[in-house]
């Protein structure tokens, strides 16, 4: 075990990925740590106050944990394209009694500065970043407060840039991962290099400890990335059906559906590439969705919430990695322990 992860109490190198939007709960974070791994409190889509409450809840479990932050990397939307897309979505929105008329793009930064200030004032063991690389000064502030800093990367160039920023660890994410890609260049096609190959490439290029992520769903998957040079594996989709998961009922059911249609990379829900179960929404809208994050995330947010509440699997984002069929209904510790059995 790498000394950095070992110092955090990690004895089993299978970590629980941060899943913003409700899937990661305090119970899931605690279960990951109690199984010898590590969980992450997701800061994404939360206010700074909500993040403070989540950190306090995790700390009350008396386990080590990390916090994952969305770093700004603006992907502004073309206003005319945004208006056309909003008009196109209206039929689906009307079906769920969501009014999209008069919507304007919201181009916020997810309260980034407030969250950094909070994490400097109230340090946690590990802070990870995705979507963008924080400035060296931000990394230095967090490290000065006593936190390790990790950066999610999807290729060698990103890994080198993160190392230059002064981070301690890298999370190497392959395109097979469920949910949003961490790519720094979302308009460009994602690399199709498998996660073990990508891990080996980054290992040769950068001398930082690596955590591998993306489509990992079996003990053999985990063993392969460790053999490729990762210190640990990070999994998310296979935890979505666990007892501690906060995934919606419609999401859980779709993951377990034997007639499911597989996954697709889509920007239809948020304007940024993300892997989800294919459904009517992706079929209808993906070819028409402009790039634009977080504007499209905010545009479709109310519709997606209403669809989830109504149990409409065809109008909600069903984030899922390529190993989604192996997600089981069981305790998270069981899932994580099983994934480590080939090590």
């Amino acid at each position: 075990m790498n000394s950095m992860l070992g110092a955090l109490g990690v004895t089993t190198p299978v970590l629980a990925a941060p899943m913003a939007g409700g899937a990661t709960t305090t119970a899931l974070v605690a279960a990951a740590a109690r199984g010898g791994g590590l969980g992450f409190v997701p800061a994404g889509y939360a206010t700074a106050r909500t993040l403070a409450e989540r950190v306090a809840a995790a700390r009350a479990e008396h386990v080590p944990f990390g916090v994952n932050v969305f770093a700004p990397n603006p992907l502004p939307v073309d206003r005319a394209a945004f208006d056309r897309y909003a008009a196109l979505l209206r039929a689906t929105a009307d079906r769920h009694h969501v009014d999209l008329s008069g919507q304007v793009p919201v181009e916020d930064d997810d309260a980034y500065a407030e969250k950094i200030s909070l994490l400097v004032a109230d340090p946690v063991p590990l802070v990870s970043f995705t979507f963008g690389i924080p400035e060296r000064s931000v990394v230095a502030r967090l490290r000065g407060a006593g936190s390790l800093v990790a950066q999610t990367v999807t290729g060698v160039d990103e890994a080198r840039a993160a190392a230059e920023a002064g981070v301690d660890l890298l999370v190497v994410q392959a395109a097979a991962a469920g949910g949003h890609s961490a790519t720094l260049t979302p308009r460009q096609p994602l690399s199709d290099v498998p996660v073990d190959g990508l891990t080996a490439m980054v290992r040769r290029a950068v001398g930082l400890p690596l955590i591998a992520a993306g489509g990992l769903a079996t003990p053999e998957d985990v063993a392969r990335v460790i053999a490729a040079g990762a210190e640990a594996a990070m999994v998310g989709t296979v935890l979505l059906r666990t007892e501690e998961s906060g995934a919606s009922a419609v999401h859980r059911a779709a993951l377990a559906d034997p007639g499911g249609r597989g996954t697709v990379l889509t920007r239809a829900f948020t304007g940024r590439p993300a892997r989800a179960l294919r459904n009517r929404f992706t079929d209808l809208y993906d070819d028409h969705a402009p790039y634009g994050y977080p504007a499209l995330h905010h545009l479709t947010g109310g519709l997606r919430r209403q669809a989830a509440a109504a149990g409409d699997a065809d109008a909600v984002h069903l984030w899922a990695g390529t190993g989604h069929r192996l997600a089981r209904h069981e305790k998270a510790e069981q899932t994580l322990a099983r994934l480590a059995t080939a090590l």
Side-chain angles (χ1 to χ4, degrees):
M1 178 60 59
N2 175 270
S3 60
M4 289 185 188
L5 293 177
L8 295 178
V10 176
T11 57
T12 302
V14 185
L15 316 184
M19 295 179 283
T24 291
T25 63
T26 299
L28 185 55
V29 172
R34 289 179 180 137
L38 191 75
F40 289 77
V41 172
Y45 310 133
T47 64
R49 179 175 179 177
T50 297
L51 175 58
E53 293 169 350
R54 291 176 180 173
V55 167
R59 192 169 279 133
E61 296 289 334
H62 306 291
V63 297
F65 62 93
V67 170
N68 178 254
V69 178
F70 292 170
N73 183 12
L75 185 61
V77 70
D78 176 83
R79 179 57 190 272
F82 177 89
D83 290 343
R84 287 194 299 270
Y85 194 55
L88 187 65
L89 292 175
R90 205 158 292 160
T92 301
D94 288 348
R95 191 168 74 248
H96 287 284
H97 310 291
V98 175
D99 184 8
L100 294 184
S101 62
Q103 293 291 314
V104 297
V106 176
E107 307 278 14
D108 64 5
D109 68 354
D110 203 44
Y112 177 72
E114 295 175 66
K115 291 172 183 176
I116 296 302
S117 295
L118 168 68
L119 294 169
V120 169
D122 187 16
V124 300
L126 175 62
V127 179
S128 67
F129 291 91
T130 192
F131 294 169
I133 298 176
E135 296 180 351
R136 287 185 62 88
S137 60
V138 170
V139 175
R141 288 173 65 198
L142 291 166
R143 297 185 77 225
S147 299
L148 292 174
V149 178
Q151 177 66 44
T152 311
V153 299
T154 63
V156 168
D157 289 346
E158 293 178 359
R160 288 177 172 142
E164 179 63 26
V167 305
D168 298 292
L169 306 100
L170 299 175
V171 179
V172 180
Q173 184 202 56
H180 283 107
S181 169
T183 177
L184 302 183
T185 53
R187 294 181 185 274
Q188 297 180 12
L190 301 183
S191 168
D192 59 0
V193 177
V195 62
D196 53 343
L198 188 61
T199 299
M201 289 167 59
V202 174
R203 161 61 61 226
R204 290 192 293 270
V206 180
L208 293 175
L210 308 181
I211 299 167
L216 303 177
T218 69
E220 293 73 24
D221 291 339
V222 171
R224 276 195 295 271
V225 296
I226 299 299
E231 304 290 346
M234 180 180 283
V235 300
T237 300
V238 291
L239 296 171
L240 286 173
R241 295 185 61 217
T242 61
E243 294 178 14
E244 295 86 352
S245 166
S248 66
V250 67
H251 198 171
R252 290 171 178 268
L255 289 165
D257 182 1
R261 294 182 291 171
T263 66
V264 293
L265 277 170
T266 180
R267 62 180 183 272
F269 297 106
T270 67
R272 184 183 175 92
R275 187 172 294 280
L277 296 178
R278 181 183 171 194
N279 62 7
R280 182 172 172 77
F281 197 99
T282 62
D283 286 350
L284 284 175
Y285 300 122
D286 197 44
D287 288 343
H288 305 282
Y291 288 98
Y293 181 90
L296 263 65
H297 159 73
H298 292 299
L299 172 67
T300 66
L303 166 58
R304 290 181 283 136
R305 285 189 293 272
Q306 288 293 102
D312 183 359
D314 270 319
V316 68
H317 59 294
L318 301 168
W319 301 146
T322 55
H324 66 92
R325 294 189 187 279
L326 296 175
R328 299 184 187 179
H329 179 64
E330 61 186 1
K331 290 187 177 298
E333 283 190 52
Q334 291 175 265
T335 300
L336 296 170
R338 183 176 63 257
L339 292 174
T341 55
L343 299 177

